[in-house]
Amino acid sequence: MVRYAEPCTAEWVESGGGPLIAVPETVLPFWTGADGEETASDYDRACEVDGLVGLLPVGDAAALVLGDEPAATAFLPEHGTFVRWVAGHAEAELLASVPAALQAARWQAEVHWNVPGTVVLFDAAWPGAHSTGTGHVRLTLTPGRYAVRAAQAQPGPETWLILVQLRPLP
């Protein structure tokens, strides 16, 4: 996890250049990352996700792939949103722009994600069994079905971010 400001207001996760992935804790051992013995590893499958978000089967659940940019990412529970830092000078400025960005966002089509509970966000190249030994964030989510929508936003002249919002479905 990377911290950009003192005092730190968010826990940021970065990748080595590929996508980040949120894997339910219950199926972490089934995510092989780049170490798969198949012709296409789990990491390769994650890299094939086209767009800002996608779902991949892992064990008896699905993982959420945060695609497009290998941007530093934090989860803001008060907004139910992953914030992906594409460009910006300071963490405080970027985080302060989130409410306005959420209001002005032009959301892409949403996907529906069944979440069994806690998920771990980490670099998709790592095997799930080793994910907590790298930069990661554990997110305690209420089990259930979520609508996931994503948007690119430019809330300031030099501030760009990607928003990935999780909304519980009835």
Side-chain angles (χ1 to χ4, degrees), residues 75 77 79-81 110 112-113 115 141-148 165-170:
F75 186 73
H79 299 292
T81 302
E110 60 187 37
H112 292 170
W113 185 27
V115 178
L141 298 176
T142 302
R145 195 163 176 233
Y146 288 80
V148 180
Q165 189 174 54
L166 309 177
R167 295 176 299 117
L169 292 171

Side-chain angles (χ1 to χ4, degrees), residues 23 28 31 120-123 126-137:
V23 179
L28 269 177
W31 182 260
V120 180
L121 176 71
F122 60 98
D123 185 332
W126 287 96
H130 301 294
S131 63
T132 57
T134 69
H136 73 283
V137 171

Side-chain angles (χ1 to χ4, degrees), residues 68-103:
D68 191 50
E69 293 276 339
T73 302
F75 186 73
L76 304 181
E78 66 274 21
H79 299 292
T81 302
F82 291 102
V83 175
R84 312 202 64 215
W85 187 338
V86 178
H89 292 293
E91 179 188 48
E93 178 184 326
L94 182 116
L95 293 176
S97 73
V98 169
L102 286 166
Q103 289 291 324

Side-chain angles (χ1 to χ4, degrees), residues 11 15 21 31 43 47 50 53 57 71 112 127 129 164:
E11 292 183 67
S15 80
I21 190 159
W31 182 260
Y43 176 74
C47 289
D50 189 27
V53 296
H112 292 170
V164 178

Side-chain angles (χ1 to χ4, degrees), residues 48-65:
E48 290 174 4
V49 168
D50 189 27
L52 301 177
V53 296
L55 298 173
L56 287 179
V58 180
D60 63 355
L64 178 67
V65 178

